Coordinates of all heavy atoms in Angstrom, one line a residue:
M1 N 15.6 2.0 19.8 CA 14.3 2.7 19.8 C 14.5 4.1 19.4 O 15.4 4.8 19.8 CB 13.7 2.6 21.3 CG 12.4 3.3 21.4 SD 11.7 3.4 23.0 CE 11.2 1.8 23.4
S2 N 13.5 4.6 18.7 CA 13.5 6.0 18.2 C 12.4 6.8 18.9 O 11.3 6.2 19.1 CB 13.4 6.1 16.7 OG 14.5 5.5 16.1
L3 N 12.6 8.1 19.0 CA 11.6 8.9 19.7 C 11.2 10.0 18.7 O 12.0 10.6 18.0 CB 12.1 9.5 20.9 CG 11.2 10.4 21.8 CD1 10.1 9.6 22.3 CD2 12.0 11.1 22.9
A4 N 9.9 10.3 18.6 CA 9.4 11.3 17.7 C 8.3 12.1 18.5 O 7.7 11.6 19.5 CB 8.7 10.7 16.5
T5 N 8.1 13.4 18.2 CA 7.2 14.3 18.9 C 6.1 14.7 17.9 O 6.4 15.1 16.8 CB 8.0 15.5 19.4 OG1 9.0 15.0 20.3 CG2 7.1 16.4 20.2
I6 N 4.9 14.7 18.4 CA 3.8 15.2 17.6 C 3.7 16.7 17.8 O 3.8 17.3 18.9 CB 2.4 14.6 18.1 CG1 2.5 13.1 17.9 CG2 1.3 15.2 17.4 CD1 1.3 12.3 18.5
T7 N 3.6 17.4 16.6 CA 3.6 18.9 16.6 C 2.2 19.4 17.0 O 1.2 18.6 17.1 CB 3.9 19.4 15.3 OG1 2.9 19.1 14.4 CG2 5.3 18.9 14.7
S8 N 2.1 20.7 17.2 CA 0.8 21.3 17.6 C -0.2 21.1 16.5 O -1.4 21.1 16.7 CB 1.0 22.8 17.9 OG 1.5 23.4 16.7
K9 N 0.2 20.8 15.2 CA -0.7 20.6 14.1 C -1.0 19.1 14.0 O -1.7 18.7 13.0 CB 0.0 21.1 12.8 CG 0.1 22.6 12.7 CD 0.7 23.0 11.4 CE 0.8 24.5 11.3 NZ 1.4 24.9 10.0
G10 N -0.5 18.3 14.9 CA -0.8 16.8 14.8 C 0.1 16.1 13.9 O -0.1 14.9 13.5
Q11 N 1.2 16.7 13.5 CA 2.1 16.1 12.6 C 3.2 15.3 13.3 O 3.6 15.7 14.5 CB 2.8 17.1 11.7 CG 1.8 17.8 10.8 CD 2.4 18.9 10.0 OE1 3.4 19.5 10.4 NE2 1.7 19.3 8.9
L12 N 3.7 14.3 12.7 CA 4.7 13.4 13.3 C 5.8 13.1 12.3 O 5.5 12.7 11.2 CB 4.1 12.1 13.8 CG 4.9 11.0 14.4 CD1 5.4 11.5 15.8 CD2 4.2 9.7 14.5
T13 N 7.0 13.3 12.6 CA 8.1 13.0 11.7 C 8.6 11.5 12.0 O 9.0 11.2 13.1 CB 9.3 13.9 11.9 OG1 8.9 15.3 11.6 CG2 10.4 13.6 11.0
I14 N 8.5 10.7 11.0 CA 8.9 9.3 11.2 C 10.4 9.3 11.0 O 11.0 9.8 10.1 CB 8.3 8.4 10.1 CG1 6.7 8.4 10.3 CG2 8.8 7.0 10.2 CD1 6.0 7.8 9.1
P15 N 11.1 8.7 12.0 CA 12.6 8.7 12.0 C 13.1 8.1 10.6 O 12.6 7.2 10.0 CB 13.0 7.8 13.1 CG 11.8 7.9 14.1 CD 10.6 8.0 13.2
V16 N 14.3 8.7 10.2 CA 14.8 8.4 8.9 C 15.1 6.9 8.7 O 15.0 6.4 7.6 CB 16.1 9.3 8.6 CG1 17.2 8.9 9.5 CG2 16.5 9.2 7.2
E17 N 15.6 6.2 9.8 CA 15.9 4.8 9.6 C 14.7 4.0 9.2 O 14.7 3.0 8.5 CB 16.6 4.2 10.8 CG 15.8 4.3 12.1 CD 16.1 5.5 13.0 OE1 16.5 6.5 12.5 OE2 15.8 5.4 14.2
F18 N 13.5 4.4 9.7 CA 12.3 3.7 9.4 C 11.8 4.1 8.0 O 11.3 3.2 7.2 CB 11.2 3.9 10.4 CG 11.5 3.4 11.8 CD1 11.8 4.2 12.8 CD2 11.4 2.0 12.0 CE1 12.1 3.7 14.1 CE2 11.7 1.5 13.2 CZ 12.1 2.3 14.3
R19 N 11.9 5.3 7.7 CA 11.5 5.8 6.3 C 12.4 5.1 5.3 O 11.9 4.7 4.2 CB 11.6 7.3 6.2 CG 10.7 8.1 7.0 CD 10.6 9.6 6.7 NE 11.9 10.2 6.4 CZ 12.5 11.0 7.3 NH1 12.0 11.2 8.5 NH2 13.7 11.5 7.0
T20 N 13.6 5.0 5.5 CA 14.6 4.3 4.6 C 14.3 2.9 4.5 O 14.1 2.3 3.3 CB 16.0 4.6 5.0 OG1 16.3 5.9 5.1 CG2 17.0 3.9 4.0
S21 N 14.1 2.2 5.6 CA 13.9 0.7 5.5 C 12.6 0.3 4.9 O 12.5 -0.7 4.3 CB 14.1 0.1 6.9 OG 13.0 0.5 7.8
E22 N 11.6 1.2 5.0 CA 10.3 0.9 4.5 C 10.0 1.6 3.1 O 8.9 1.6 2.6 CB 9.2 1.4 5.5 CG 9.2 0.6 6.8 CD 9.0 -0.9 6.6 OE1 8.1 -1.3 5.8 OE2 9.7 -1.7 7.3
H23 N 11.1 2.2 2.6 CA 11.0 2.9 1.3 C 9.9 3.9 1.2 O 9.2 4.0 0.3 CB 10.8 1.8 0.1 CG 11.8 0.7 0.2 ND1 13.1 0.8 -0.1 CD2 11.6 -0.6 0.6 CE1 13.7 -0.3 0.0 NE2 12.9 -1.2 0.5
M24 N 9.8 4.7 2.3 CA 8.8 5.7 2.4 C 9.4 7.0 1.9 O 10.5 7.4 2.2 CB 8.4 5.9 3.9 CG 7.7 4.7 4.4 SD 7.5 4.8 6.2 CE 6.1 5.9 6.3
T25 N 8.7 7.7 1.0 CA 9.1 8.9 0.4 C 8.0 9.9 0.5 O 6.9 9.6 1.0 CB 9.4 8.8 -1.1 OG1 8.3 8.3 -1.8 CG2 10.6 7.8 -1.3
T26 N 8.2 11.1 0.1 CA 7.2 12.2 0.2 C 5.9 11.7 -0.5 O 5.9 11.2 -1.6 CB 7.6 13.5 -0.5 OG1 8.8 13.9 0.1 CG2 6.6 14.6 -0.5
G27 N 4.8 11.8 0.2 CA 3.5 11.4 -0.4 C 3.1 10.0 -0.1 O 2.0 9.6 -0.4
T28 N 4.0 9.2 0.6 CA 3.6 7.9 1.0 C 2.5 7.9 2.0 O 2.5 8.7 3.0 CB 4.8 7.1 1.7 OG1 5.9 7.0 0.7 CG2 4.4 5.8 2.2
K29 N 1.4 7.1 1.8 CA 0.3 7.1 2.7 C 0.6 6.1 3.8 O 1.3 5.0 3.6 CB -1.0 6.7 2.0 CG -1.3 7.6 0.9 CD -2.7 8.1 1.0 CE -3.1 9.0 -0.1 NZ -2.9 10.4 0.1
V30 N 0.2 6.3 5.0 CA 0.5 5.4 6.2 C -0.9 5.1 6.8 O -1.7 6.0 7.1 CB 1.4 6.1 7.2 CG1 1.6 5.2 8.4 CG2 2.7 6.5 6.6
E31 N -1.1 3.8 7.0 CA -2.3 3.3 7.7 C -2.0 3.0 9.2 O -1.0 2.3 9.4 CB -2.8 2.1 7.0 CG -4.1 1.5 7.6 CD -4.6 0.3 6.9 OE1 -4.2 0.1 5.7 OE2 -5.3 -0.5 7.5
F32 N -2.8 3.6 10.1 CA -2.6 3.3 11.5 C -3.7 2.3 12.0 O -4.8 2.4 11.5 CB -2.7 4.6 12.3 CG -1.6 5.5 12.1 CD1 -1.6 6.5 11.1 CD2 -0.4 5.5 12.9 CE1 -0.5 7.3 10.9 CE2 0.6 6.3 12.7 CZ 0.6 7.3 11.7
F33 N -3.3 1.5 12.9 CA -4.3 0.5 13.4 C -4.0 0.2 14.9 O -2.9 0.4 15.3 CB -4.3 -0.8 12.6 CG -3.0 -1.4 12.5 CD1 -2.6 -2.4 13.4 CD2 -2.1 -1.0 11.5 CE1 -1.3 -3.0 13.3 CE2 -0.8 -1.6 11.4 CZ -0.5 -2.6 12.3
R34 N -5.0 -0.3 15.6 CA -4.8 -0.7 17.0 C -4.2 -2.1 17.1 O -4.7 -3.0 16.4 CB -6.1 -0.6 17.8 CG -6.6 0.8 17.9 CD -6.7 1.1 19.4 NE -7.1 2.5 19.5 CZ -6.4 3.4 20.1 NH1 -5.2 3.1 20.5 NH2 -6.8 4.6 20.2
L35 N -3.3 -2.3 17.9 CA -2.7 -3.6 18.2 C -3.6 -4.3 19.3 O -4.2 -3.6 20.1 CB -1.3 -3.5 18.6 CG -0.3 -3.0 17.6 CD1 1.1 -2.7 18.2 CD2 -0.2 -3.9 16.4
P36 N -3.6 -5.6 19.3 CA -4.4 -6.3 20.3 C -4.1 -5.9 21.7 O -4.9 -5.9 22.6 CB -4.1 -7.8 20.0 CG -3.7 -7.9 18.6 CD -3.0 -6.5 18.3
G37 N -2.8 -5.6 22.0 CA -2.4 -5.3 23.4 C -2.7 -3.8 23.7 O -2.4 -3.4 24.8
G38 N -3.3 -3.1 22.8 CA -3.7 -1.7 23.1 C -2.7 -0.7 22.5 O -3.0 0.5 22.6
G39 N -1.7 -1.0 21.9 CA -0.7 -0.1 21.3 C -1.2 0.3 19.9 O -2.3 0.0 19.4
L40 N -0.4 1.0 19.2 CA -0.7 1.5 17.8 C 0.4 0.8 16.9 O 1.5 0.7 17.2 CB -0.6 3.0 17.7 CG -1.7 3.8 18.3 CD1 -1.4 5.3 18.2 CD2 -3.0 3.5 17.7
G41 N -0.1 0.5 15.7 CA 0.8 0.1 14.6 C 0.6 0.9 13.4 O -0.4 1.6 13.3
M42 N 1.5 0.8 12.4 CA 1.3 1.5 11.2 C 1.9 0.7 10.1 O 2.9 -0.1 10.2 CB 2.0 2.9 11.2 CG 3.5 2.9 11.4 SD 4.1 4.6 11.1 CE 5.2 4.3 9.8
I43 N 1.3 0.9 8.9 CA 1.8 0.2 7.7 C 1.9 1.2 6.6 O 0.9 1.9 6.3 CB 0.9 -0.9 7.2 CG1 0.8 -2.0 8.3 CG2 1.3 -1.5 5.9 CD1 -0.3 -3.1 8.0
P44 N 3.0 1.4 5.9 CA 3.1 2.3 4.8 C 2.3 1.8 3.6 O 2.4 0.6 3.3 CB 4.6 2.4 4.5 CG 5.2 1.3 5.2 CD 4.3 0.8 6.2
R45 N 1.5 2.6 3.0 CA 0.7 2.2 1.8 C 1.2 3.0 0.6 O 0.6 4.0 0.2 CB -0.8 2.4 2.0 CG -1.3 1.7 3.2 CD -1.4 0.2 2.8 NE -2.1 -0.5 3.8 CZ -2.1 -1.8 3.9 NH1 -1.4 -2.5 3.1 NH2 -2.7 -2.4 4.9
A46 N 2.4 2.6 0.1 CA 3.0 3.4 -0.9 C 2.4 3.2 -2.3 O 2.5 4.0 -3.2 CB 4.5 3.0 -1.1
R47 N 1.6 2.1 -2.4 CA 1.0 1.8 -3.8 C -0.4 2.3 -3.8 O -1.2 2.2 -2.8 CB 1.1 0.3 -4.0 CG 2.5 -0.2 -4.0 CD 2.6 -1.6 -4.3 NE 2.5 -1.8 -5.8 CZ 2.5 -2.9 -6.4 NH1 2.5 -4.0 -5.7 NH2 2.4 -3.0 -7.7
S48 N -0.9 2.7 -4.9 CA -2.3 3.0 -5.2 C -2.9 1.9 -6.0 O -2.2 1.0 -6.6 CB -2.4 4.3 -5.9 OG -2.0 4.2 -7.2
I49 N -4.2 1.9 -6.1 CA -4.8 0.9 -7.0 C -4.4 1.0 -8.4 O -4.3 0.0 -9.1 CB -6.4 1.1 -6.9 CG1 -7.1 -0.1 -7.4 CG2 -6.8 2.3 -7.5 CD1 -7.0 -1.4 -6.7
D50 N -4.0 2.2 -8.8 CA -3.5 2.4 -10.2 C -2.2 1.6 -10.4 O -1.9 1.1 -11.6 CB -3.3 3.8 -10.5 CG -4.6 4.6 -10.6 OD1 -5.6 4.0 -10.9 OD2 -4.5 5.8 -10.3
D51 N -1.4 1.4 -9.4 CA -0.2 0.6 -9.5 C -0.4 -0.8 -9.8 O 0.5 -1.5 -10.3 CB 0.7 0.7 -8.2 CG 1.1 2.1 -7.9 OD1 1.3 2.9 -8.9 OD2 1.3 2.5 -6.8
L52 N -1.6 -1.3 -9.5 CA -1.9 -2.7 -9.8 C -2.4 -3.0 -11.2 O -2.5 -4.2 -11.6 CB -3.0 -3.2 -8.8 CG -2.6 -3.1 -7.3 CD1 -3.8 -3.5 -6.4 CD2 -1.4 -3.9 -7.0
F53 N -2.7 -2.0 -11.9 CA -3.1 -2.2 -13.3 C -2.2 -3.0 -14.1 O -1.0 -2.7 -14.1 CB -3.4 -0.8 -14.0 CG -3.9 -1.0 -15.4 CD1 -5.2 -1.3 -15.6 CD2 -3.1 -0.9 -16.5 CE1 -5.7 -1.5 -16.9 CE2 -3.6 -1.1 -17.8 CZ -4.9 -1.3 -18.0
G54 N -2.6 -4.1 -14.7 CA -1.8 -4.9 -15.6 C -1.0 -5.9 -14.8 O -0.2 -6.6 -15.5
C55 N -1.2 -6.1 -13.5 CA -0.3 -7.0 -12.8 C -0.8 -8.5 -13.0 O 0.0 -9.4 -12.7 CB -0.2 -6.7 -11.3 SG -1.7 -6.9 -10.4
L56 N -2.0 -8.7 -13.4 CA -2.5 -10.1 -13.6 C -2.3 -10.4 -15.1 O -2.5 -9.6 -16.0 CB -4.0 -10.2 -13.3 CG -4.3 -9.9 -11.8 CD1 -5.8 -9.9 -11.6 CD2 -3.6 -11.0 -10.9
P57 N -2.0 -11.7 -15.4 CA -1.9 -12.1 -16.8 C -3.2 -12.1 -17.5 O -4.3 -12.3 -16.8 CB -1.3 -13.5 -16.7 CG -1.8 -14.0 -15.3 CD -1.8 -12.8 -14.5
K58 N -3.2 -11.9 -18.7 CA -4.4 -11.9 -19.5 C -4.9 -13.3 -19.6 O -4.1 -14.2 -19.8 CB -4.1 -11.4 -20.9 CG -5.4 -11.2 -21.8 CD -5.1 -10.5 -23.1 CE -6.4 -10.3 -23.9 NZ -6.2 -9.6 -25.1
P59 N -6.2 -13.5 -19.4 CA -6.8 -14.9 -19.5 C -6.5 -15.5 -20.9 O -6.5 -14.8 -21.9 CB -8.3 -14.7 -19.3 CG -8.5 -13.4 -18.8 CD -7.3 -12.5 -19.2
A60 N -6.2 -16.8 -20.9 CA -5.9 -17.5 -22.1 C -7.1 -17.5 -23.1 O -6.9 -17.5 -24.3 CB -5.4 -18.9 -21.8
E61 N -8.3 -17.6 -22.5 CA -9.5 -17.6 -23.3 C -10.5 -16.7 -22.7 O -10.7 -16.5 -21.5 CB -10.0 -19.1 -23.2 CG -11.2 -19.4 -24.0 CD -11.7 -20.8 -23.9 OE1 -10.8 -21.7 -23.9 OE2 -12.9 -21.0 -23.7
T62 N -11.1 -15.9 -23.6 CA -12.2 -15.0 -23.1 C -13.6 -15.6 -23.3 O -13.8 -16.5 -24.1 CB -12.1 -13.7 -23.9 OG1 -12.3 -14.0 -25.3 CG2 -10.8 -13.0 -23.7
T63 N -14.5 -15.1 -22.5 CA -15.8 -15.6 -22.5 C -16.7 -14.5 -23.0 O -16.7 -13.4 -22.5 CB -16.3 -16.1 -21.1 OG1 -15.3 -17.1 -20.7 CG2 -17.7 -16.6 -21.1
S64 N -17.6 -14.8 -23.9 CA -18.6 -13.8 -24.4 C -19.7 -13.6 -23.4 O -19.9 -14.5 -22.5 CB -19.2 -14.2 -25.7 OG -20.0 -15.3 -25.5
D65 N -20.4 -12.6 -23.5 CA -21.6 -12.3 -22.6 C -22.6 -13.5 -22.7 O -23.1 -13.9 -21.7 CB -22.2 -11.0 -22.9 CG -21.4 -9.8 -22.4 OD1 -20.5 -10.0 -21.6 OD2 -21.7 -8.7 -22.8
E66 N -22.8 -13.9 -23.9 CA -23.8 -15.0 -24.1 C -23.3 -16.3 -23.4 O -24.1 -17.0 -22.8 CB -24.0 -15.3 -25.6 CG -24.7 -14.1 -26.3 CD -23.7 -13.0 -26.7 OE1 -22.5 -13.2 -26.7 OE2 -24.2 -11.9 -27.0
Q67 N -22.0 -16.6 -23.5 CA -21.5 -17.8 -22.9 C -21.6 -17.7 -21.3 O -22.0 -18.6 -20.7 CB -20.0 -18.0 -23.2 CG -19.8 -18.4 -24.7 CD -18.3 -18.4 -25.0 OE1 -17.6 -17.5 -24.7 NE2 -17.9 -19.5 -25.8
A68 N -21.3 -16.5 -20.8 CA -21.4 -16.3 -19.4 C -22.8 -16.4 -18.9 O -23.1 -17.1 -17.9 CB -20.8 -14.9 -19.0
Q69 N -23.8 -15.8 -19.6 CA -25.2 -15.9 -19.3 C -25.7 -17.4 -19.3 O -26.4 -17.8 -18.5 CB -26.0 -15.0 -20.2 CG -25.8 -13.5 -19.8 CD -26.5 -12.6 -20.8 OE1 -27.2 -13.1 -21.7 NE2 -26.3 -11.3 -20.6
G70 N -25.2 -18.1 -20.3 CA -25.6 -19.5 -20.5 C -25.0 -20.3 -19.3 O -25.7 -21.2 -18.7
A71 N -23.8 -20.1 -18.9 CA -23.2 -20.8 -17.8 C -24.0 -20.5 -16.5 O -24.2 -21.4 -15.6 CB -21.7 -20.4 -17.6
I72 N -24.3 -19.2 -16.3 CA -25.1 -18.8 -15.1 C -26.5 -19.5 -15.1 O -26.9 -20.0 -14.1 CB -25.2 -17.3 -15.0 CG1 -23.9 -16.6 -14.8 CG2 -26.2 -16.9 -13.9 CD1 -23.8 -15.1 -14.9
A73 N -27.1 -19.5 -16.2 CA -28.5 -20.1 -16.3 C -28.4 -21.6 -16.0 O -29.2 -22.1 -15.3 CB -29.0 -19.9 -17.7
S74 N -27.4 -22.3 -16.5 CA -27.2 -23.7 -16.3 C -27.0 -24.0 -14.8 O -27.5 -24.9 -14.2 CB -26.0 -24.2 -17.1 OG -26.3 -24.2 -18.5
A75 N -26.2 -23.1 -14.2 CA -25.9 -23.3 -12.8 C -27.1 -23.1 -11.9 O -27.4 -23.8 -11.0 CB -24.8 -22.3 -12.3
L76 N -27.9 -22.1 -12.3 CA -29.2 -21.8 -11.6 C -30.2 -23.0 -11.7 O -30.8 -23.4 -10.8 CB -29.8 -20.5 -12.0 CG -29.1 -19.2 -11.6 CD1 -29.7 -18.0 -12.3 CD2 -29.1 -19.1 -10.1
L77 N -30.3 -23.5 -12.9 CA -31.1 -24.6 -13.2 C -30.7 -25.9 -12.4 O -31.5 -26.6 -11.8 CB -31.2 -25.0 -14.7 CG -32.0 -24.0 -15.5 CD1 -31.9 -24.3 -17.0 CD2 -33.5 -24.0 -15.1
A78 N -29.4 -26.1 -12.3 CA -28.9 -27.2 -11.6 C -29.1 -27.0 -10.1 O -29.5 -28.0 -9.4 CB -27.4 -27.4 -11.8
D79 N -29.0 -25.8 -9.6 CA -29.2 -25.5 -8.2 C -30.7 -25.7 -7.9 O -31.1 -26.2 -6.8 CB -28.8 -24.1 -7.9 CG -28.7 -23.9 -6.4 OD1 -28.1 -24.8 -5.7 OD2 -29.2 -22.8 -5.9
D80 N -31.6 -25.3 -8.8 CA -33.1 -25.4 -8.6 C -33.4 -26.9 -8.5 O -34.2 -27.4 -7.7 CB -33.9 -24.8 -9.8 CG -33.9 -23.3 -9.7 OD1 -33.5 -22.7 -8.6 OD2 -34.2 -22.7 -10.7
D81 N -32.8 -27.7 -9.4 CA -33.0 -29.2 -9.4 C -32.5 -29.8 -8.1 O -33.2 -30.6 -7.5 CB -32.3 -29.9 -10.6 CG -33.0 -29.6 -11.9 OD1 -34.1 -29.1 -11.9 OD2 -32.3 -29.8 -12.9
R82 N -31.4 -29.3 -7.6 CA -30.8 -29.8 -6.4 C -31.8 -29.5 -5.2 O -32.1 -30.4 -4.4 CB -29.5 -29.2 -6.1 CG -28.8 -29.7 -4.8 CD -27.6 -28.9 -4.5 NE -27.8 -27.5 -4.3 CZ -28.3 -26.9 -3.2 NH1 -28.7 -27.6 -2.2 NH2 -28.5 -25.6 -3.2
I83 N -32.3 -28.3 -5.2 CA -33.2 -27.9 -4.1 C -34.5 -28.7 -4.2 O -35.1 -29.2 -3.2 CB -33.5 -26.4 -4.1 CG1 -32.2 -25.7 -3.8 CG2 -34.6 -26.0 -3.2 CD1 -32.3 -24.2 -4.1
R84 N -35.1 -28.8 -5.4 CA -36.3 -29.6 -5.6 C -36.2 -31.0 -5.2 O -37.1 -31.6 -4.6 CB -36.7 -29.4 -7.1 CG -38.1 -29.9 -7.4 CD -38.6 -29.6 -8.8 NE -37.6 -29.4 -9.8 CZ -37.1 -30.4 -10.5 NH1 -37.5 -31.7 -10.3 NH2 -36.2 -30.2 -11.5
L85 N -35.1 -31.6 -5.5 CA -34.9 -33.0 -5.2 C -34.4 -33.3 -3.7 O -34.2 -34.4 -3.3 CB -33.9 -33.7 -6.2 CG -34.4 -33.7 -7.6 CD1 -33.2 -34.2 -8.6 CD2 -35.6 -34.5 -7.8
G86 N -34.1 -32.2 -3.0 CA -33.7 -32.3 -1.6 C -32.3 -32.8 -1.4 O -32.0 -33.5 -0.5
R87 N -31.4 -32.5 -2.3 CA -30.0 -33.1 -2.2 C -29.1 -32.1 -1.5 O -29.1 -30.9 -1.5 CB -29.4 -33.4 -3.5 CG -30.0 -34.5 -4.2 CD -29.3 -34.9 -5.4 NE -30.2 -35.5 -6.4 CZ -30.0 -35.7 -7.6 NH1 -28.8 -35.3 -8.1 NH2 -30.8 -36.2 -8.4

């Protein structure tokens, strides 16, 4: 167990063994949350949304706006028919 003290400015130094094991460096954001038992937990949020750019593969096939609008219109018509027929 490690002990840390909150400063008069509300700052807290996270012990080095936790910073190292969680790969926390200067500028790492930390999210705090309440645990069900009433304690506090924290999760380092080292990544930003920008880090996720390009992580998904490019779709094999692209859809034009016209194709998308046609698919939406077809789905809406099918749903209207379903409602009208009581299915």
Side-chain angles (χ1 to χ4, degrees):
M1 181 189 285
S2 295
L3 183 66
T5 303
I6 297 176
T7 68
S8 61
K9 293 182 179 183
Q11 297 173 337
L12 179 70
T13 300
I14 299 170
V16 69
E17 61 266 22
F18 294 109
R19 292 192 319 259
T20 303
S21 68
E22 296 300 317
H23 310 288
M24 299 169 74
T25 59
T26 301
T28 298
K29 303 234 183 262
V30 179
E31 180 180 339
F32 290 89
F33 56 92
R34 292 243 176 244
L35 295 171
L40 291 175
M42 65 170 237
I43 298 174
R45 298 289 184 196
R47 300 182 82 183
S48 73
I49 192 71
D50 293 333
D51 295 332
L52 298 176
F53 181 78
C55 70
L56 296 175
K58 187 173 181 174
E61 185 178 312
T62 58
T63 302
S64 70
D65 287 343
E66 293 80 19
Q67 289 172 318
Q69 289 174 1
I72 292 169
S74 294
L76 288 173
L77 288 173
D79 195 45
D80 288 346
D81 289 342
R82 181 189 58 80
I83 293 168
R84 190 170 27 87
L85 298 173
R87 291 188 211 165

